[in-house]
Amino acid sequence: MIPRSQPSVQSTDGDSGHWQAQLRQSTMTAAQLLAKLQIEPSPALAARGQDQFPLRVPPAFLARIRRGDPHDPLLRQVLPLAAEDSENAGFSHDPVGEGAAQKQPGLLHKYHGRVLLTLTGACAIHCRYCFRRHFPYADANPARGAWQQTLDYLRADTSITEVILSGGDPLALTDARLAAMAADLAAISHLKRLRIHSRLPVVLPERITAELLDWLTASRLKPVLVVHSNHANEIGPEAVAALQRLYRSGIQLLNQAVLLAGVNDNARALIDLSETLFENNVLPYYLHMLDAVAGAAHFNVSDAAAGELLEQLRTRLPGYLVPRLVREVSGEPYKTPLL
Ligand SMILES: *Cc1c(COP(=O)(O)O)cnc(C)c1O
Ligand code: SF4
């Protein structure tokens, strides 16, 4: 194992100031986004859905979108299309039954041994396919007041060995708050692992600060970071550097992607994603079928098409670079494999 870097007390303020400044420079309207990308506005490229789930694109992600191409696979993930406004049978506001799995504000206990905490509703990027776009975060946030109650719940159930920090994006919180939470969790002796699900290493690589690496690697809990990347084009030089800092700190890196029509629903894109991830020491973990969330039907890929894609990946890649194709089915004891 490569030794940890020096404690970073000297550089911390600069670090966090930098990622927060980057975040403030996000593009927040479709008109601005299209202008920056030199794309002509058109009726198909503007949805009312923006009112409840506004557009948000951080600078590093913007830099990875091709200029002048309305069909760019990264653009499609963030641009509210008019198609969002259409009603589609079977697409609802709580597609994976999170309501029932919520045992306390922001605490989801759905699978054996693992508890997922939705720490914040904030994200650095707003992904149009996101199933959390309708989630009532304001009342579902253990970081806001219910933290002692969360710790009590975790202490009382010794079958829990892993806590998953999720959101929103948990890395939207400051390192000071996350470090304090991690310390509280590490004091619960039956916990073994601390897992973070975040899109920030890829979409806001500046977020991978020395402070973050410090508290994460100082913990007794084994750290796992599941990055969310859907397309190899997302992984530019800054993301490569961020992933390298994480890897060198000894953090287990996995990726989860969502299978999205018009973004990554072809074998070439999925193979490139797996290859690029592995070059950066990230193992493909899950490839999720889209959750049937209202406003995202235009991203849907059929089971038959998904199965064929997976078959092509299996034919072309080593087994460890083939992600598990899964779907979230409410009431099931694990994420359900499609094949
Ligand atoms: C996805 C998920 C997990 C983690 O499942 P793994 O199969 O361990 O990755 C845990 N809790 C909830 C509520 C989840 O949605
Ligand atoms: S929770 Fe994840 S998928 Fe949803 S908007 Fe935030 S970053 Fe995107």
Side-chain angles (χ1 to χ4, degrees):
M1 187 66 36
I2 296 143
R4 280 180 51 214
S5 54
Q6 295 290 317
S8 58
V9 189
Q10 314 89 326
S11 66
T12 51
D13 267 14
D15 265 6
S16 62
H18 184 55
W19 73 261
Q20 281 156 347
Q22 286 292 304
L23 195 55
R24 280 192 295 274
Q25 283 170 35
S26 296
T27 304
M28 300 296 291
T29 70
Q32 274 174 14
L33 180 66
L34 294 176
K36 287 179 186 175
L37 294 170
Q38 295 142 29
I39 295 171
E40 280 297 313
S42 83
L45 302 182
R48 293 192 306 271
Q50 276 192 84
D51 301 342
Q52 22 147 316
F53 188 59
L55 178 142
R56 175 185 269 279
V57 185
F61 194 86
L62 178 67
R64 306 297 305 159
I65 303 176
R66 283 190 297 259
R67 271 44 193 168
D69 180 2
H71 305 295
D72 180 89
L74 275 54
L75 178 64
R76 193 173 164 87
Q77 295 178 52
V78 293
L79 185 65
L81 301 181
E84 280 191 11
D85 297 332
S86 61
E87 299 265 334
N88 291 82
F91 284 74
S92 74
H93 284 58
D94 183 16
V96 295
E98 290 210 319
Q102 184 160 205
K103 308 296 182 198
Q104 291 192 2
L107 185 151
L108 301 178
H109 193 180
K110 196 163 161 185
Y111 302 132
H112 180 84
R114 289 148 291 168
V115 159
L116 184 147
L117 305 179
T118 57
L119 292 184
T120 169
C123 286
I125 187 168
H126 285 176
C127 313
R128 306 316 300 178
Y129 55 84
C130 181
F131 79 97
R132 295 188 191 281
R133 60 187 286 167
H134 307 291
F135 204 64
Y137 286 108
D139 349 311
N141 182 347
R144 233 181 250 156
W147 184 242
Q148 287 310 322
Q149 210 181 312
T150 297
L151 294 175
D152 289 343
Y153 184 96
L154 297 172
R155 271 189 216 108
D157 185 344
T158 55
S159 74
I160 302 167
T161 51
E162 178 166 344
V163 171
I164 302 171
L165 306 185
S166 180
D169 201 305
L171 295 185
L173 299 182
T174 63
D175 286 313
R177 290 189 67 194
L178 290 166
M181 288 181 184
D184 288 342
L185 295 173
I188 301 174
S189 59
H190 51 268
L191 296 182
K192 294 179 178 157
R193 292 177 298 279
L194 181 64
R195 187 192 327 176
I196 296 175
H197 276 248
S198 175
R199 203 149 156 55
L200 293 202
V202 170
V203 307
L204 193 81
E206 301 86 352
R207 177 63 186 89
I208 308 307
T209 58
E211 291 156 285
L212 169 68
L213 299 176
D214 279 350
W215 67 258
L216 202 48
T217 55
S219 178
R220 170 187 76 75
L221 302 171
K222 176 111 179 116
V224 179
L225 179 63
V226 183
V227 303
H228 291 199
S229 178
N230 299 318
H231 197 284
N233 289 3
E234 294 172 12
I235 304 173
E238 291 89 2
V240 166
L243 293 170
Q244 195 155 58
R245 290 199 293 281
L246 289 160
Y247 176 69
R248 290 206 174 138
S249 305
I251 295 158
Q252 177 69 56
L253 298 174
L254 303 172
N255 184 64
Q256 137 174 339
V258 182
L259 184 58
L260 299 166
V263 175
N264 58 11
D265 61 334
N266 64 84
R268 185 73 264 154
L270 292 172
I271 289 168
D272 285 350
L273 177 60
S274 276
E275 297 273 11
T276 304
L277 289 167
F278 191 66
E279 272 165 36
N280 293 289
N281 304 298
V282 183
L283 280 174
Y285 179 35
Y286 281 138
L287 178 61
H288 275 266
M289 294 299 285
L290 182 76
D291 294 315
V293 58
H298 57 293
F299 287 114
N300 199 42
V301 176
S302 71
D303 285 9
E308 272 169 39
L309 280 170
L310 199 74
E311 186 61 25
Q312 290 181 59
L313 296 194
R314 284 183 168 146
T315 312
R316 304 267 294 278
L317 288 169
Y320 60 89
L321 292 189
V322 179
R324 300 157 177 82
L325 179 65
V326 293
R327 150 177 299 131
E328 191 104 34
V329 182
S330 44
E332 291 294 317
Y334 49 84
K335 297 196 200 290
T336 314
L338 207 68
L339 299 175

